[in-house]
């Protein structure tokens, strides 16, 4: 009886390979590193926070969060936001971006974490602390648990600054959404002002004394080279300083792409300097309107700086809210606000999708109205005549009359004469 072949020896692993396999297995079991937070995308699913999301998107804060994780965002519902968040922040002597940074906690807090907040409080660092503008720990918030009242045993969490300024507290209303260990969004009852600011202060007292250099703002923002050069060359930018110190100004600035998209028939750059200045003034409201005020504006028909040079009812803009954004209608062009470029009381600058062409100077076909009179040297546009309406039927020159493009009626008249003649011949033949 034959013996079977001996079993093959087990393969031997290369030295160090087991350790490598163990390390690879450990890496697979570890959680993946958290990606940056796209806060505006998260808030887009919650229409009740659209205004707060728009504030974040129009400020540098949204970009600052792109490289961070493990955050808690204190979001303010639309109904709880001040009518003018920018004015609210300016009245406290604060910058709106810093107020928004104060609503970003650099720690992930879930609802169970809030339930464990002690009555003595818990100090949590905010994004504002990282700016270096917050002395000591005044860039942090203090979370404290208070009795909810009404005989309930539950407690409410209040967010306040370590040394609270008047009106700087807000109550956590509840959880909105969360991405575990990456982002937690909590609703709070109002905007929270960092310590060291006083929201009871007068806005006029905290208004910045130096005038805002609009052309520099546009140059720094990028994408507004055409508008900046036109304002500088026309001298219109020099007029803004006096307006800023009054009721403020709101400027709608077309992007470079908006100027490039102008049809060839809109020869804006070839206009005389005085008429070009009128178009530029047509982009400016003689009042400070932050984005929230424009969205809820009471009177949609707003006069512009060009209106002040003419008469009431001329060179006005129709401003309404449409499809979640601010729409601007000139009677010739329909544009929309695409983003906030600058917003600090008393100056607001917004990017618009199109060049705003006044109907008093441009026809319905978006072409220069050649019949419009040239304004005098004072840059006052002549609006005594509105845009001319083209005739409904063009008449031919005297030498070409009877040869219009419309088919002539002469052949029909000749046919009628032939029929009449034949009929008379048929009647006369029996009498011959």
């Amino acid at each position: 009886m034959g013996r079977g072949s001996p079993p093959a020896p087990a393969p031997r692993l290369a030295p160090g390979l087991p350790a490598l396999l163990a390390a690879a297995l450990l890496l697979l079991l570890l959680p993946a590193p958290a990606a940056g937070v796209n806060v505006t995308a998260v808030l887009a699913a919650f229409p009740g926070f659209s205004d707060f999301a728009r504030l974040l998107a129009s400020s540098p804060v949204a970009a600052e969060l792109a490289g961070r994780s493990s955050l808690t965002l204190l979001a303010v519902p639309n109904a709880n936001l001040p009518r003018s968040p920018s004015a609210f922040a300016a009245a406290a002597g604060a910058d709106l971006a810093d107020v928004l940074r104060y609503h970003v906690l650099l720690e992930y807090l879930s609802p169970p974490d809030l339930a464990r907040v002690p009555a003595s409080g818990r100090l949590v660092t905010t994004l504002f602390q990282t700016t270096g503008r917050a002395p000591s720990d005044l860039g942090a918030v203090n979370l404290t648990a208070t009795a909810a009242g009404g005989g309930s045993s539950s407690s409410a969490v209040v967010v306040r600054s370590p040394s609270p300024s008047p009106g700087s507290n807000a109550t956590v209303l509840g959880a909105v959404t969360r991405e575990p260990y990456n982002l937690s969004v909590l609703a709070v009852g109002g905007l929270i002002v960092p310590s060291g600011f006083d929201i009871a202060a007068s806005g006029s007292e905290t208004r910045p004394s130096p005038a805002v250099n609009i052309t520099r703002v546009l140059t720094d923002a990028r994408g507004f080279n055409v508008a900046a050069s036109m304002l500088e060359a026309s001298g219109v930018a020099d007029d803004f300083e006096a307006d800023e110190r009054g009721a403020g100004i709101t400027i709608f600035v077309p992007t470079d792409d908006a100027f490039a998209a102008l049809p060839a028939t809109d020869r804006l750059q070839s206009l005389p300097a005085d008429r070009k200045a009128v178009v530029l003034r047509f982009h400016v409201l003689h009042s400070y309107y932050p984005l929230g005020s424009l969205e809820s504006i009471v009177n949609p028909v707003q006069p512009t700086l060009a209106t002040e040079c003419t008469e009431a009812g001329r060179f006005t803009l129709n401003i309404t809210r449409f499809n979640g954004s601010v729409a601007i209608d000139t009677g010739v062009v329909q544009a929309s606000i695409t983003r906030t470029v600058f917003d600090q009381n008393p100056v607001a600058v917004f990017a618009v999708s199109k060049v705003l062409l006044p109907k008093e100077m441009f026809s319905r076909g978006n072409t220069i109205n050649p019949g419009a009179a040239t304004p005098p040297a004072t840059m006052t546009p002549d609006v005594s005549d509105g845009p001319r309406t083209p005739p409904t039927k063009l008449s031919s020159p005297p030498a070409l009359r009877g040869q219009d493009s419309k088919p002539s009626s002469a052949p029909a008249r000749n046919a009628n004469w032939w029929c009449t003649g034949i009929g008379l011949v048929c009647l006369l033949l029996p009498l011959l």
Side-chain angles (χ1 to χ4, degrees):
M1 186 172 176
R3 294 181 179 179
S5 59
R12 299 182 62 183
L13 296 177
L17 188 57
L20 292 175
L21 292 175
L25 182 60
L26 182 61
L27 289 175
L28 291 175
L29 295 177
L30 287 175
V37 177
N38 189 337
V39 174
T40 52
V42 173
L43 290 180
F46 303 93
F49 295 87
S50 58
D51 292 342
F52 189 78
R54 196 174 296 112
L55 288 176
L56 286 173
S58 62
S59 73
V61 180
E64 293 171 10
L65 298 180
R68 291 182 174 270
S69 59
S70 296
L71 304 175
T72 299
L73 177 67
L74 306 178
V76 184
N78 297 342
N80 296 72
L81 271 176
R83 181 176 179 85
S84 172
S86 297
F88 176 88
D95 180 75
L96 179 60
D98 280 345
V99 172
L100 293 175
R101 292 183 182 101
Y102 201 56
H103 289 69
V104 180
L105 311 186
L106 302 183
E107 186 177 331
Y108 177 84
L109 297 175
S110 63
D113 295 326
L114 293 180
R116 291 190 291 267
V117 169
S120 58
R122 176 179 176 181
L123 208 61
V124 182
T125 304
T126 74
L127 187 63
F128 177 52
Q129 182 75 43
T130 66
T131 64
R133 292 187 290 273
S136 184
D137 62 352
L138 298 185
V141 294
N142 192 16
L143 305 180
T144 57
T146 60
S152 173
S153 60
S154 62
S155 61
V157 175
V158 177
V159 185
R160 53 169 56 95
S161 57
S163 300
S165 301
S168 62
N169 301 342
T171 302
V172 176
L173 304 177
V176 179
T177 185
R178 54 179 170 162
E179 297 178 359
Y181 312 112
N182 193 25
L183 174 66
S184 174
V185 181
L186 305 176
V188 291
L191 282 179
I192 313 163
V193 177
S195 295
F197 298 108
D198 181 10
I199 68 169
S202 168
S204 60
E205 294 175 358
T206 59
R207 180 170 292 175
S209 53
V212 176
N213 188 324
I214 301 300
T215 53
R216 181 174 300 172
V217 167
L218 296 179
T219 302
D220 293 342
R222 305 191 181 191
F224 302 96
N225 295 328
V226 177
S229 61
M230 289 181 66
L231 285 172
E232 189 72 25
S234 65
V236 172
D238 298 334
D239 300 339
F240 292 160
E241 182 173 350
D243 294 299
E244 291 174 26
R245 299 184 186 280
I249 56 174
T250 301
I251 308 173
F252 303 114
V253 186
T255 61
D256 291 340
D257 290 340
F259 279 103
L262 277 174
T265 51
D266 293 333
R267 297 179 297 276
L268 178 61
Q269 297 292 353
S270 64
L271 284 176
D274 52 355
R275 291 172 64 79
K276 192 181 296 182
V278 173
V279 176
L280 294 175
R281 288 188 173 91
F282 185 61
H283 287 70
V284 184
L285 304 182
H286 193 181
S287 289
Y288 167 68
Y289 288 104
L291 187 61
S293 297
L294 288 176
E295 291 175 335
S296 57
I297 199 164
V298 176
N299 182 13
V301 180
Q302 289 292 314
T304 65
L305 291 190
T307 307
E308 298 180 2
C309 300
T310 56
E311 59 183 89
R314 298 284 185 171
F315 290 91
T316 59
L317 295 174
N318 194 318
I319 302 173
T320 56
R321 183 170 181 174
F322 181 73
N323 283 346
S325 63
V326 176
I328 304 173
D329 190 347
T330 72
V332 174
V333 173
Q334 292 78 40
S336 61
I337 291 179
T338 56
R339 68 183 177 100
T340 301
V341 179
F342 182 88
D343 186 354
Q344 185 173 334
N345 191 14
V347 178
V349 182
F350 300 101
V352 290
S353 59
K354 295 182 181 179
V355 180
L356 305 181
L357 304 177
K359 64 179 182 295
E360 288 81 0
M361 294 173 57
F362 292 76
S363 70
R364 288 287 174 181
N366 274 2
T367 57
I368 296 284
N369 181 2
T374 302
T378 57
M379 296 185 184
T380 303
D382 182 2
V383 293
S384 56
D385 295 326
R388 295 185 178 180
T389 304
T392 56
K393 182 179 180 181
L394 297 177
S395 58
S396 303
L400 298 178
R401 283 179 184 165
Q403 302 179 24
D404 296 335
S405 58
K406 184 177 179 180
S408 173
S409 58
R413 290 197 301 269
N414 292 337
N416 290 338
W417 279 111
W418 278 106
C419 293
T420 303
I422 293 173
L424 289 174
V425 171
C426 293
L427 291 174
L428 293 175
L429 280 177
L431 298 178
L432 295 177

